[in-house]
Amino acid sequence: MKTEERSIYDKNLDLIRRFRDGDAEAGEELASLNKPLIYNIAGRFIGRGADMDELVEMGTIGLVKAINTFDFSRECAFSTYAVPLIFGEMRRFLRDDGIIKVSRENKKLAAQINAERERRLGAGEDAGIASIASSLGVTAQDAAAALFSTSPVRSLEEAAYDDEESMTLGATIADEDAPTKEFDKLALKLAIEKLCDVERKIIILRYFRDFSQAETAKVLGLTQVKISREEKKILSRLRGELS
């Protein structure tokens, strides 16, 4: 670590300790010292409908959360810990304020797919994504993309395997200690990005789109047995990456 970086690293830790001991001025100095970090992250969101002041305000909330939850025992730089919390507050603001937009075409297609799926489920017909996509005249990949873009992220509390209901996806890859959840999410994202295209699609369809193994197999043109085997291998790899 360079001398300048070490100086900031040590100063951050000292200021956090003083702030937690009741030194309000230390908190103000800590916020000022890390203000450039907030502006740097905010710059990545310019042009998405929010102005800099709004983004900085949200980023400051993330910084305060980082100050209050930073764990000295993790032996990492405070800035490293603060980044995902600052980033998360800005993303949450953009999402909740409706600034991050989903295309009209994707919204329309997703609505058509969901309506057709409900109808088929009620009628006892094949409700697989591939069959529905074919009936609507689109590819299974386009249908999956439309559904993914309009749906919230699934909870990591969901079952990891169809045949192991007691195990959750979060239990295989994340430490549930509350102060480290943002780190876990960031680490999971980076680990998923290392997967090959097919492996990423399996994880997205199974754990972010709530597709069954059979539906996932149809979308990807594979057998259900293949999906089951690959899924367990992928989760094992992710667990190794995050351990």
Side-chain angles (χ1 to χ4, degrees):
M1 186 180 291
K2 297 179 180 178
T3 303
E4 183 179 355
E5 293 175 341
R6 167 56 67 178
S7 175
I8 295 175
Y9 172 86
D10 291 337
K11 192 169 186 179
N12 270 328
L13 299 186
D14 177 60
L15 288 171
I16 292 172
R17 289 189 177 95
R18 286 166 49 192
F19 173 72
R20 291 183 180 178
D21 286 337
D23 187 343
E25 291 185 1
E28 294 177 4
E29 186 176 352
L30 187 61
S32 177
L33 182 64
N34 289 278
K35 206 74 170 180
L37 180 63
I38 297 176
Y39 275 94
N40 180 274
I41 297 173
R44 304 181 187 183
F45 294 99
I46 292 299
R48 299 193 184 186
D51 61 34
M52 179 62 79
D53 288 342
E54 290 175 316
L55 292 170
V56 169
E57 182 180 353
M58 293 302 105
T60 301
I61 293 175
L63 179 66
V64 171
K65 288 184 177 180
I67 292 171
N68 289 330
T69 61
F70 180 74
D71 183 357
F72 291 98
S73 68
R74 293 187 67 90
E75 298 183 351
C76 71
F78 172 70
S79 59
T80 302
Y81 179 79
V83 164
L85 277 75
I86 295 171
F87 188 91
E89 287 300 319
M90 293 182 188
R91 283 293 300 271
R92 188 175 297 109
F93 167 70
L94 293 173
R95 181 196 65 214
D96 293 346
D97 203 45
I99 295 173
I100 295 180
K101 304 296 183 183
V102 177
S103 72
R104 182 177 301 175
E105 292 77 11
N106 272 344
K107 285 183 178 179
K108 182 179 179 181
L109 179 56
Q112 291 175 330
I113 294 170
N114 285 324
E116 179 63 8
R117 190 178 190 185
E118 288 298 320
R119 185 194 70 76
R120 293 190 179 202
L121 288 173
E125 300 175 5
D126 180 6
I129 187 66
S131 177
I132 293 175
S134 178
S135 70
L136 295 175
V138 298
T139 66
Q141 288 80 4
D142 287 343
L147 288 171
F148 178 69
S149 67
T150 58
S151 298
V153 176
R154 281 185 65 197
S155 169
L156 292 181
E157 296 299 320
E158 303 289 343
Y161 307 122
D162 285 349
D163 57 347
E164 295 184 30
E165 295 183 359
S166 62
M167 179 178 289
T168 64
L169 177 61
T172 69
I173 55 180
D175 180 357
E176 292 300 315
D177 185 33
T180 67
K181 284 184 178 179
E182 291 295 338
F183 271 120
D184 295 334
K185 292 176 184 177
L186 180 61
L188 173 60
K189 178 178 180 295
L190 295 174
I192 290 176
E193 288 177 350
K194 293 181 181 179
L195 300 175
C196 71
D197 186 55
V198 172
E199 292 172 334
R200 281 197 301 273
K201 287 179 179 177
I202 290 174
I203 291 300
I204 288 173
L205 292 174
R206 288 286 291 124
Y207 297 105
F208 292 84
R209 275 299 309 125
D210 199 20
F211 281 19
S212 68
Q213 288 186 349
E215 290 173 329
T216 301
K218 288 182 180 180
V219 170
L220 300 179
L222 303 172
T223 66
Q224 184 174 347
V225 172
K226 177 69 172 177
I227 293 297
S228 179
R229 290 175 179 172
E230 289 301 311
E231 184 179 333
K232 291 182 180 181
K233 289 179 183 178
I234 295 168
L235 290 175
S236 179
R237 285 177 54 193
L238 291 176
R239 186 166 57 248
E241 286 278 348
L242 300 174
S243 61

